[in-house]
Amino acid sequence: MNKDFNALAWLLQRITAVGLVLLLGIHFWLLHFKTHGEVIKFSDVSMRLHTWTLVLIDICLLIFGLYHASNGIYSIVQDYSVGGNGRRVTLWVLMCGGCVLAIIGGISLFRFLYVAG
Amino acid sequence: MKNILKVKVFRCDPETDTTPRYDIFHVPEIKNMAVLDVVFHIQNNQDRSLAFRSSCRIGMCGSCAMFINGKARLACRTGVATLGTKELTITPLPNLPVIKDLLVDMDPFFEKYEKIKPYFIPEEGRKDFCSVPEGLKERRLIDEMLECITCGACYSACTIVTTNPEYLGPAALNRAFCLIADKRDGGGDERLRIVSDSNGIWRCHGQFNCGEVCPKKITPTWTIQQLKKRSVFKMMGIHL
């Protein structure tokens, strides 16, 4: 594996960690203080996700979370001394899986802006 | 009446034994007794076949590192009184193959040490001597980390070495940092490339187990973080 790839992956893991702390903070704050009533209703969420800013926050949360989790799993695989082929397969599975989940998540969020309610 | 120590010692001769066992010895405690004195007492008076390694007896050579009461320590620098118990359990260092009893094969440890080119490589083209004055921060950093006696305690305490035997380990990475941080050395770039491998610095997750057991109070976790920082800056084209 390219040495710069390792350094970049490590740096992005740190950046996404900081990003996740901030974005999760915003996410929890919205859920606890900006939700009317005690029960979270679909209509409330739908209404909130009509705002571009909130959709953008959730998109960032999705991408940061997916990168952080996938790279974390890949790191564990490397920690357990999985051989060259195993590492490559894991990397590709995680990259493809991550992309698919990002697309599904992204489409779901954008549907609130353009389609829902 | 003398205090009697109950000493449980790991015994195994891979050439003849199918499974390892523990032998229990009773050793009379003497004032200022070190664990090395305990194993020497057993070897001299109770079982001459007990195998272990030792040399300087003053914590300089790093050859008597053992796993004493659940922690890697130098047997010569560990006072029995400091353990706070009269029951001792002594086993060989984890993460290294056992040759016999408390004696481990240090080859895997030194093979990794060799990989990082642990020797000074003079900078090309330099004609004059280069001195690094004592007060400089760079000098203080390196001086502190040079104390390593390659006893292997950090290597045996590292959980990543346990799961990934290819990981370079704390001692080798600490040595690499000493040379990379030394401005007189000409092999820094190559060394940084070696330690930036996926089985190098990126495997350290900052558990501080290495620093916890180091008899010289070095914290390799810190030096590994410095290497990560240098590697990231190098990727960005910035040379520290």
Side-chain angles (χ1 to χ4, degrees):
Chain A
M1 188 61 71
N2 186 301
K3 312 289 189 260
D4 283 350
F5 174 86
N6 289 323
L8 183 65
W10 181 84
L11 182 65
L12 287 177
Q13 187 77 351
R14 265 72 203 157
I15 292 170
T16 51
V18 174
L20 279 172
V21 170
L22 293 173
L23 292 169
L24 279 171
I26 295 170
H27 185 73
F28 290 142
W29 180 75
L30 282 172
L31 284 183
H32 286 278
F33 299 108
K34 288 285 170 187
T35 303
H36 304 293
E38 281 183 13
V39 182
I40 300 166
K41 293 185 202 135
F42 180 78
S43 54
D44 288 346
V45 176
S46 173
M47 202 168 70
R48 200 167 56 230
L49 287 173
H50 271 79
T51 336
W52 259 103
T53 330
L54 293 177
V55 171
L56 205 66
I57 286 172
D58 278 3
I59 293 277
C60 288
L61 193 59
L62 177 73
I63 292 168
F64 282 20
L66 280 171
Y67 177 83
H68 199 78
S70 310
N71 192 49
I73 293 170
Y74 185 58
S75 183
I76 292 168
V77 168
Q78 288 178 302
D79 288 350
Y80 279 87
S81 187
V82 175
N85 278 336
R87 278 190 191 189
R88 266 190 294 277
V89 170
T90 314
L91 184 63
W92 278 104
V93 167
L94 288 169
M95 281 199 323
C96 295
C99 288
V100 169
L101 290 172
I103 291 166
I104 294 171
I107 290 171
S108 313
L109 285 167
F110 281 117
R111 279 171 73 89
F112 280 104
L113 273 181
Y114 297 111
V115 186
Chain B
M1 191 184 143
K2 270 187 181 175
N3 277 325
I4 300 293
L5 300 168
K6 186 182 170 191
V7 190
K8 207 168 134 186
V9 182
F10 178 94
R11 306 300 302 272
C12 179
D13 184 351
E15 283 182 9
T16 54
D17 300 342
T18 48
T19 47
R21 65 179 196 281
Y22 281 96
D23 283 352
I24 293 173
F25 300 95
H26 293 93
V27 177
E29 186 181 359
I30 53 169
K31 203 182 168 198
N32 296 327
M33 193 178 206
V35 175
L36 190 62
D37 299 324
V38 174
V39 283
F40 265 119
H41 184 279
I42 295 169
Q43 195 188 50
N44 290 336
N45 304 299
Q46 300 185 39
D47 188 342
R48 297 195 70 83
S49 69
L50 177 66
F52 59 91
R53 193 184 280 125
S54 81
S55 181
C56 74
R57 291 182 164 214
I58 51 166
M60 273 178 70
C61 69
S63 57
C64 66
M66 297 170 193
F67 203 63
I68 302 159
N69 281 12
K71 191 176 170 185
R73 312 169 202 248
L74 289 184
C76 67
R77 305 303 295 163
T78 306
V80 170
T82 63
L83 295 172
T85 174
K86 300 293 171 202
E87 289 187 16
L88 277 69
T89 304
I90 311 172
T91 59
L93 287 180
N95 295 339
L96 290 162
V98 175
I99 297 173
K100 188 174 184 279
D101 302 335
L102 304 173
L103 195 63
V104 289
D105 181 4
M106 296 294 282
D107 276 358
F109 173 82
F110 284 111
E111 275 164 16
K112 280 137 182 207
Y113 207 75
E114 243 181 86
K115 275 187 188 170
I116 56 106
K117 300 181 188 289
Y119 41 83
F120 183 76
I121 301 171
E123 211 176 15
E124 257 179 61
R126 187 176 285 281
K127 287 179 185 142
D128 202 1
F129 290 112
C130 173
S131 65
V132 183
E134 226 169 274
L136 275 186
K137 191 187 166 197
E138 178 200 342
R139 168 81 181 257
R140 283 204 307 272
L141 273 179
I142 301 169
D143 276 352
E144 220 175 283
M145 302 305 160
L146 276 177
E147 292 292 313
C148 177
I149 52 171
T150 58
C151 63
C154 57
Y155 187 86
S156 72
C158 178
T159 56
I160 301 299
V161 176
T162 311
T163 58
N164 182 353
E166 299 299 313
Y167 172 48
L168 288 171
L173 293 172
N174 182 67
R175 178 65 187 154
F177 172 77
C178 290
L179 291 159
I180 289 167
D182 191 334
K183 284 204 170 86
R184 301 166 303 163
D185 186 84
D189 278 350
E190 196 189 346
R191 233 174 253 114
L192 197 57
R193 190 182 54 76
I194 296 167
V195 301
S196 300
D197 183 75
S198 57
N199 288 321
I201 47 178
W202 314 112
R203 296 279 60 75
C204 173
H205 299 303
Q207 294 170 341
F208 286 91
N209 288 340
C210 47
E212 189 72 27
V213 297
C214 179
K216 293 291 171 185
K217 307 284 175 232
I218 297 170
T219 313
T221 313
W222 183 83
T223 52
I224 296 169
Q225 293 307 313
Q226 295 302 309
L227 288 172
K228 285 177 182 174
K229 199 169 84 180
R230 281 171 191 262
S231 187
V232 167
F233 277 120
K234 195 187 165 202
M235 174 193 75
M236 294 168 169
I238 305 164
H239 290 266
L240 292 179

